[in-house]
Amino acid sequence: MAEYTHLFLQILLVCRTVSDIMARSTQKYLLPGTACNRLYLDLDGAVIEGNGDVAYYEDCEIKLGCRTGENWMFHVEEMSLMSCKVHIEVFYTDVGIIGTPPMHKFLCAGPDPGIVYTNTSFFTLRLHHQNETDFRFKIVLTSRKSELPCEDFLCDNGNCISPDLNCDGIDNCFDFSEEWENGTAACVEYYPFPGENFGVLISVVCVGCFVGFSAACCRMWRQRRHKLQEEDLYEIKNGPYVQKYAYRYAFLRPPQNFRRDIQRGERFARAT
């Protein structure tokens, strides 16, 4: 039993490690959707994607916070607001304060701000869509470390970011230096399944843990069942109850001189 408990704890440890890796990588949020009006903290990187095909009838707001002592930087990969009724506001603080002006405002046919370096660890995006569906956008955020020299991953452009963002398919350095297979990130060696989605690794690990745990449970159940069957068989063949009353239950354990006693009984009956 102890070995199965140890196996189960190892499986839990593997699942915990995989979940921690996923939690530290770039997180993706779709607006409008389930991420609306929610707060996410202690992030290393994030991608906010907007899609007008998702039905949502209220203004949507998302708040993101990076780790203490770090600051956000972001850039717009895609901004297609075909309807001028749709606009996006970006705040560097909590917009719970009434009258706080936005730091950036994206309108239809607006200019690209390029790479924006902030001095805050808090980022708020508010989407005003007015039930319009003809819009699409994608904003990438990365937590920038201010330590010098950089003890984590140093991008070619000088940005210092978390190494957990390497090789996840998202340009967190904003120069692709952490995604190059032959660059400073060395993604071929770092990434467990080159060319595949990281979700494949998670699926394989989870399925393997489930199959291993199920096999261990089945093996333990079969051993327990076999042991009980052996105990029952011993009671039937050699148990004290059978030895004491074997003459009554001859079909279980016939007496040693069973047939001779029967013949003597028949002869005695004929003589009388």
Side-chain angles (χ1 to χ4, degrees), residues 263-272:
Q263 294 175 357
R264 288 180 179 179
E266 291 177 351
R267 287 198 300 267
F268 178 77
R270 287 196 297 269
T272 56

Side-chain angles (χ1 to χ4, degrees), residues 151-223:
E151 297 181 357
D152 292 305
F153 182 81
L154 181 62
C155 304
D156 288 351
N157 57 14
N159 293 324
C160 183
I161 66 173
S162 171
D164 296 319
L165 302 176
N166 291 358
C167 311
D168 60 357
I170 305 297
D171 180 20
N172 296 104
C173 277
F174 304 154
D175 62 358
F176 289 99
S177 57
E178 91 283 5
E179 300 296 327
W180 294 343
E181 292 185 356
N182 297 322
T184 55
C187 290
V188 173
E189 298 179 0
Y190 180 89
Y191 195 57
F193 292 159
E196 298 292 337
N197 193 303
F198 191 75
V200 176
L201 175 62
I202 304 303
S203 302
V204 171
V205 172
C206 292
V207 170
C209 292
F210 177 77
V211 172
F213 181 71
S214 300
C217 291
C218 291
R219 181 181 178 185
M220 184 171 59
W221 177 78
R222 292 180 61 182
Q223 290 179 348

Side-chain angles (χ1 to χ4, degrees), residues 61 89-104 124 126 128:
E61 180 179 287
E89 296 177 338
V90 172
F91 302 84
Y92 293 166
T93 58
D94 189 351
V95 294
I97 303 176
I98 300 176
T100 302
M103 300 300 295
H104 300 276
T124 300
R126 178 180 290 175
H128 302 271

Side-chain angles (χ1 to χ4, degrees), residues 25-154:
S25 61
T26 304
Q27 302 298 302
K28 296 183 179 181
Y29 305 102
L30 179 63
L31 302 182
T34 57
C36 285
N37 305 318
R38 297 188 63 180
L39 171 65
Y40 302 90
L41 298 175
D42 297 329
L43 301 176
D44 289 326
V47 175
I48 303 177
E49 296 187 66
N51 188 351
D53 296 336
V54 180
Y56 197 87
Y57 302 103
E58 298 179 359
D59 289 344
C60 179
E61 180 179 287
I62 183 172
K63 302 177 182 180
L64 306 177
C66 58
R67 303 178 188 277
T68 304
E70 301 177 5
N71 297 320
W72 283 120
M73 62 179 182
F74 70 92
H75 79 112
V76 179
E77 283 197 358
E78 180 183 3
M79 184 64 66
S80 177
L81 308 180
M82 304 304 296
S83 174
C84 291
K85 294 182 180 180
V86 181
H87 65 276
I88 300 172
E89 296 177 338
V90 172
F91 302 84
Y92 293 166
T93 58
D94 189 351
V95 294
I97 303 176
I98 300 176
T100 302
M103 300 300 295
H104 300 276
K105 193 171 184 178
F106 299 97
L107 305 173
C108 59
D112 184 359
I115 301 176
V116 180
Y117 296 90
T118 74
N119 293 320
T120 178
S121 60
F122 204 84
F123 183 94
T124 300
L125 184 143
R126 178 180 290 175
L127 170 64
H128 302 271
H129 57 86
Q130 300 183 22
N131 297 333
E132 296 290 332
T133 59
D134 195 3
F135 68 89
R136 185 179 299 275
F137 64 89
K138 182 178 181 180
I139 301 176
V140 179
L141 296 97
T142 303
S143 176
R144 184 179 79 259
K145 302 178 184 295
S146 58
E147 58 187 14
L148 291 175
C150 180
E151 297 181 357
D152 292 305
F153 182 81
L154 181 62

Side-chain angles (χ1 to χ4, degrees), residues 221-236:
W221 177 78
R222 292 180 61 182
Q223 290 179 348
R224 178 61 178 171
R225 183 180 178 185
H226 182 68
K227 183 177 180 180
L228 292 176
Q229 289 178 346
E230 290 182 346
E231 292 178 355
D232 293 341
L233 188 62
Y234 175 81
E235 292 293 334
I236 293 175

